[in-house]
Amino acid sequence: MTASIIDGKAHATALRAKLIAKTVDLKAEYGIVPGLATVLVGDDPASEVYVRNKNKTAEALGFKSVHHHLASTASEAEVVSLVKTLNAEPSVHGILVQLPLPKHIREESVLDALDPAKDVDALTPINAGLLLSGRAHLVSCTPMGVMILLRETLGDIGGAEALVIGRSLLFGKPAAQLLLAANATVTMAHSRSRDLPLLCRRADIIVAAIGKPEFVRGNWVKPGACVIDVGINRIVDASGHSRLVGDVAYAETAEVAGHITPVPGGVGAMTIICLMRNTLIAAAMQHAVPLPVV
Ligand code: NAP
């Protein structure tokens, strides 16, 4: 193996320590305790685990954490009404509506009801637009996690050729905007792109968010490139064991890349802690005090 492994857990632990210190400062200087409200609709077991981890992390950082669990039969109007109540609650600075929602509830209706100042997942059109304008304070959590990993691994990425594979609202689009803001030369690829291997071969940085197990092959990657694997896919291997893999064929890519994120333990480890970063920033914004630099 030639690539150095980017240890997402270690980077997340370092950010966590900074957030704890800034939370103590915010309380001591201004009496502000950041508050995160989570909303879960239905009983999807994976979503329940994600939400529980978010609440636990918020509490461990010294935040106020409240959770609302609605039945899978809850109506769109009920979810929208809960979001509006949380918008008006001064002790709640961040609202996280766990997606996906049950099929009878339109995500757009719920996101449209969400106060952009409390949109700590940065999914509302206002926050997407602010990102495009270079004025966003709340940035989608996984793309922000990727940028922190890149900055701490590579330093200045100005002029680098960066390829983002995937153009979702949740990841690909905000990731491309952040890379552009960091002065990379950005290419976005998607399911209609021609010759993905060719696009990969010229990239100094590859960010793969496709949702297809081990799709990016080692022989597509330029020697020394930095490969960030956002994908989380559960597969059953030849021996019948279930395990998580990314969108990149890890072992063969690690033979050629300069840096690579593992799955698990790479990008995924950064997402929750970036949600907490957004909640801290949202709390400072809502009280009009200087934004913590983290
Ligand atoms: P998504 O909404 O399904 O988007 C997938 C993207 O991949 C689409 O833009 C699609 O192109 C593109 N794509 C599909 N097949 C392709 C192909 N053959 N060649 C090139 N591009 C192709 O998924 P997502 O929400 O962005 O998530 C992507 C992956 O990241 C998933 O595995 C997800 O679990 C993971 N993820 C992890 C985290 C985390 O670490 N916490 C957070 C978010 C996502 P089209 O637009 O043309 O369909």
Side-chain angles (χ1 to χ4, degrees), residues 76 80 83 97 99 101-103 105-114 123-125 169:
E76 185 176 294
V80 166
V83 165
V97 180
L99 302 178
L101 291 165
K103 289 209 170 14
I105 301 173
R106 289 167 298 170
E107 279 179 10
E108 306 87 77
S109 305
V110 176
L111 290 177
D112 286 350
L114 185 57
L123 290 175
T124 57
L169 200 58

Side-chain angles (χ1 to χ4, degrees), residues 142 165-172 189-193 196 208-212 215 230-233 247 267-269 271:
T142 308
I165 316 174
R167 56 175 165 179
S168 67
L169 200 58
L170 186 68
F171 184 80
H190 44 78
S191 65
R192 302 285 299 273
S193 297
L196 189 58
I210 312 164
K212 295 198 166 157
F215 190 76
V230 182
I232 302 177
N233 310 287
D247 289 345
V267 174
T271 298

